[in-house]
Amino acid sequence: MDRRDSERVARVTQQNRPEDKAFAPEYQGALGSLSVNSSLTEVLARGIEELRAAEHAGEQREMARCGLAVAEAYRRLGRVAEADAAWKSSYRAARSAGDVGAMAWALWSGGTLARQRGSLALAYRLLGLAAEMGERGGDVVVRGYSLAGLAETGRIQGDYQAVGELHEQLLAEARKRGEARHTVWALEGIAQMHRNTGSYDRALALFEEAAETAGRADDRRGRAWALRGIADVVSVRDGDVERALTLLTEAESMCREMRLSSALAYNHKMRGNVHYRVGQYPQARDNYEQALAEFQEMDEPRGVALSRLGLAKSLARLGRNPAETVVELVGLRRALDRIGLRHARDMVDKASVELGVGPLPDVGHRVEEAATR
């Protein structure tokens, strides 16, 4: 970091409180004035413009910083091939400049992209390197973001025992430094673990705290994710379809405004869940189909698998041939095994019992043959 960036981080980490405005530390250098709520299309356009200017001037450090924003905009827009090229270019520029902090940020972006694409082993490796470099370079923010990435990777795998303590540690650190955005992230992660283990009251309280904190901090992205979590809990715990859909509609408007492609697709998948839980299977099918197409377009394997599962359950309820349902569930289980998502794999086994087609066989090709007879 140069003096301007160091002063900015110090000012935020020392003076902010969770109720203050959120900031986006991944927007650096010439892009440091961008808001956490800036439209991703705006971030991408500004980032490319400033990146070209830095390339023309031969400023490697500025190339690394602008390249980071470009990589993150591409990633969040679901343009994964461009995101992959951008973070690697940012890393090369940072390495040429000898900027360890910028190298750490590029690795964080690459690790986050790897998790989004379902390459969890690569995500662990890149995020671990990012955390090490962040510590070596004295950048507590990128270190914290990288450790959070490791925690989230473990959480989506279902390894709650291993990462639960890390989530709590990161929440405490974020609150101490007054990082509203990171506080919201940690609250949502802990809430999701409680939700998945059936502690609905605790999950709801944490999601509501996250939504309130994000609202005070003007973190619309964090609030959109928190509202989705609240909608999930009030749907599964209370069967309150009207409230759940109202919350999801509010969150969807934020996602569309900021062009949050992944968050929007997960919003649509959650709509499918809400409809499915109360037996509105045609509506659920339509939402799952929409989410599936969105996840496929952005090449996000986890979202694809979860949407496929919801769609398979909806079609089964609408009279699909049970043998075809078995084929789909077996294929899904294999896909989730490849990604390493243990919690989601358990969901497939539970679905097979719920639909009366389980337990599932381990050999997929035999099932496929049966379905075509």
Side-chain angles (χ1 to χ4, degrees):
M1 292 189 203
D2 62 16
R3 183 175 58 83
R4 180 177 59 180
D5 285 340
S6 297
E7 290 175 352
R8 177 171 174 262
V9 170
R11 187 165 59 250
V12 171
T13 56
Q14 292 171 11
Q15 297 178 358
N16 252 21
R17 293 296 180 267
E19 62 269 19
D20 290 338
K21 298 299 182 183
F23 75 108
E26 68 270 33
Y27 301 154
Q28 303 171 8
L31 301 172
S33 63
L34 288 173
S35 162
V36 66
N37 297 319
S38 295
S39 163
L40 292 177
T41 52
E42 176 193 353
V43 174
L44 184 59
R46 281 278 309 278
I48 290 174
E49 179 184 356
E50 296 293 349
L51 178 58
R52 287 173 178 165
E55 289 172 343
H56 182 72
E59 298 177 355
Q60 295 288 337
R61 294 180 71 187
E62 191 66 13
M63 286 167 58
R65 292 169 177 151
C66 295
L68 172 66
V70 169
E72 282 301 285
Y74 276 136
R75 181 183 68 79
R76 291 165 178 161
L77 286 166
R79 296 168 61 175
V80 295
E82 292 103 323
D84 189 54
W87 84 259
K88 290 175 179 175
S89 179
S90 174
Y91 179 82
R92 288 193 296 270
R95 185 176 58 189
S96 296
D99 189 331
V100 177
M103 291 167 67
W105 276 110
L107 288 167
W108 165 78
S109 181
T112 306
L113 176 65
R115 182 178 65 244
Q116 181 173 315
R117 301 178 77 175
S119 301
L120 300 187
L122 178 60
Y124 276 119
R125 185 163 68 86
L126 293 176
L127 290 167
L129 288 170
E132 291 174 13
M133 284 196 174
E135 186 168 6
R136 192 193 320 163
D139 189 330
V140 296
V141 180
V142 71
R143 176 185 173 275
Y145 270 58
S146 301
L147 290 175
L150 289 169
E152 185 166 352
T153 304
R155 177 172 58 78
I156 67 171
Q157 281 190 291
D159 197 357
Y160 300 157
Q161 185 175 359
V163 301
E165 185 176 339
L166 181 54
H167 271 78
E168 295 284 359
Q169 172 194 328
L170 292 169
L171 174 59
E173 290 181 5
R175 281 176 162 158
K176 182 178 179 181
R177 293 199 298 265
E179 294 177 11
R181 188 179 175 202
H182 225 192
T183 298
V184 169
W185 168 87
L187 285 168
E188 290 170 350
I190 297 167
Q192 191 64 50
M193 287 187 282
H194 281 294
R195 181 261 178 264
N196 289 346
T197 54
S199 300
Y200 298 130
D201 292 346
R202 181 60 178 153
L204 182 59
L206 289 167
F207 277 129
E208 287 177 338
E209 183 181 352
E212 291 168 6
T213 303
R216 289 194 302 267
D218 193 25
D219 175 7
R220 278 173 267 173
R221 180 185 296 127
R223 182 168 171 81
W225 281 106
L227 291 177
R228 174 184 173 275
I230 295 171
D232 183 26
V233 176
V234 300
S235 166
V236 72
R237 187 191 70 171
D238 307 328
D240 193 338
V241 177
E242 183 176 355
R243 185 184 176 200
L245 293 179
T246 298
L247 290 165
L248 290 171
T249 297
E250 181 184 348
E252 180 172 355
S253 68
M254 298 178 194
C255 294
R256 290 192 182 279
E257 181 182 351
M258 297 176 64
R259 305 294 193 271
L260 300 174
S261 302
S262 180
L264 183 61
Y266 276 106
N267 183 294
H268 293 154
K269 187 195 75 67
M270 184 56 67
R271 283 183 178 273
N273 292 356
V274 170
H275 286 299
Y276 181 88
R277 287 166 186 156
V278 294
Q280 297 173 349
Y281 302 127
Q283 296 95 319
R285 175 199 58 204
D286 294 345
N287 285 133
Y288 288 132
E289 286 178 342
Q290 180 181 9
L292 177 58
E294 291 167 336
F295 284 125
Q296 287 174 330
E297 183 177 357
M298 67 184 74
D299 189 23
E300 189 163 330
R302 177 169 171 257
V304 167
L306 293 173
S307 299
R308 282 178 59 194
L309 176 58
L311 182 57
K313 291 169 64 176
S314 299
L315 292 174
R317 295 297 190 185
L318 290 169
R320 188 186 197 183
N321 185 321
E324 294 177 359
T325 298
V326 171
V327 170
E328 179 68 10
L329 293 179
V330 169
L332 264 174
R333 192 170 61 176
R334 287 202 303 264
L336 291 166
D337 279 341
R338 285 195 298 270
I339 300 173
L341 300 178
R342 291 188 290 275
H343 174 70
R345 186 192 188 281
D346 291 342
M347 291 169 60
V348 174
D349 290 332
K350 289 177 183 177
S352 70
V353 175
E354 173 193 333
L355 298 171
V357 298
L360 297 176
D362 290 326
V363 184
H365 71 273
R366 293 179 183 171
V367 180
E368 292 161 9
E369 290 171 0
T372 58
R373 288 176 186 169

